[in-house]
Amino acid sequence: FLPSFLPLRPDQEKRAQMLAPRKTLWSTPAAVVAEAESLLSPLTSSDVVYDVGCGDARVLVGLASSFPEVPRLVGVEIDEARSEQAKANVKEAGLEDRISVINENALCLDYEAATAVFLYLVPRGLRIIKPYLTSTRWDLWPYSLVPRSLLKSATVKVVTYMSGLPGVEPKRRVNVEVPHQEGSGWPVYYYELERRGGV
């Protein structure tokens, strides 16, 4: 049995204070959700999907509906009111058996199980979260007994909206038109990251 949460080292606890909710909360447009589904496809029964800063869980609900074979989707939302809204939306969609929403600072979790991740964060948040997406529990927790042979996929598929991951060249960049701003395109980025450790 591998726990969902692991104790953090003091230096990680310090950094974990840094990822906070946006002052203004914007929801991901439906057109962007559809593009994320396209970029992350295919998703199968071996995938575990995370949405860090999941808001009202619309991305998770969309992905769960489009890929019914995916058994586990996880939303992380630090804002308590938004996390409760997300849970209510998941319940309304009848997806509680597949989608879980965690009201927590994203840097207090590990993402070793994740094979696909959606991020709608400000550039600073993306810079902070990036190394956590490519690290394993072996790297995050020096006393881990997990053999490297049991570690999850060596590649993590990542989609970001509005801002790209700093210092990483995307595999694809797509401009998506959104209804509330006709004629303008907002960027969606697709990455494939290798797990190398080193938070």
Side-chain angles (χ1 to χ4, degrees), residues 42-150:
L43 293 174
T44 69
S45 58
S46 62
D47 282 300
V48 177
V49 180
Y50 274 71
D51 182 354
V52 180
C54 69
D56 60 9
R58 66 180 61 192
V59 174
L60 295 170
V61 170
L63 289 171
S65 301
S66 296
F67 303 100
E69 61 273 31
V70 175
R72 182 180 172 213
L73 302 94
V74 181
V76 184
E77 178 55 58
I78 195 172
D79 184 85
E80 185 174 2
R82 292 280 273 185
S83 69
E84 290 302 315
Q85 181 186 10
K87 292 175 184 177
N89 290 342
V90 169
K91 183 177 182 179
E92 183 179 353
L95 294 168
E96 290 175 291
D97 59 329
R98 295 170 58 209
I99 300 177
S100 58
V101 178
I102 303 170
N103 178 211
E104 182 59 270
N105 187 327
L107 300 189
C108 290
L109 308 178
D110 74 87
Y111 299 91
E112 181 189 322
T115 60
V117 180
F118 180 83
L119 301 168
Y120 180 13
L121 302 174
V122 298
R124 176 176 171 273
L126 291 172
R127 174 177 56 80
I128 295 171
I129 196 68
K130 184 180 73 171
Y132 285 77
L133 302 180
T134 56
S135 295
T136 66
R137 298 179 191 192
W138 191 282
D139 306 295
L140 290 172
W141 197 30
Y143 308 107
S144 174
L145 301 178
V146 182
R148 287 189 178 271
S149 60
L150 297 181

Side-chain angles (χ1 to χ4, degrees), residues 33-44 47 49-50 59 63 67 115-118 156-160 189-191:
V33 176
E35 187 61 42
E37 293 172 3
S38 175
L39 291 170
L40 291 173
S41 180
L43 293 174
T44 69
D47 282 300
V49 180
Y50 274 71
V59 174
L63 289 171
F67 303 100
T115 60
V117 180
F118 180 83
V156 186
K157 297 191 288 188
V158 179
V159 168
T160 71
Y189 303 86
Y190 172 72
Y191 302 87

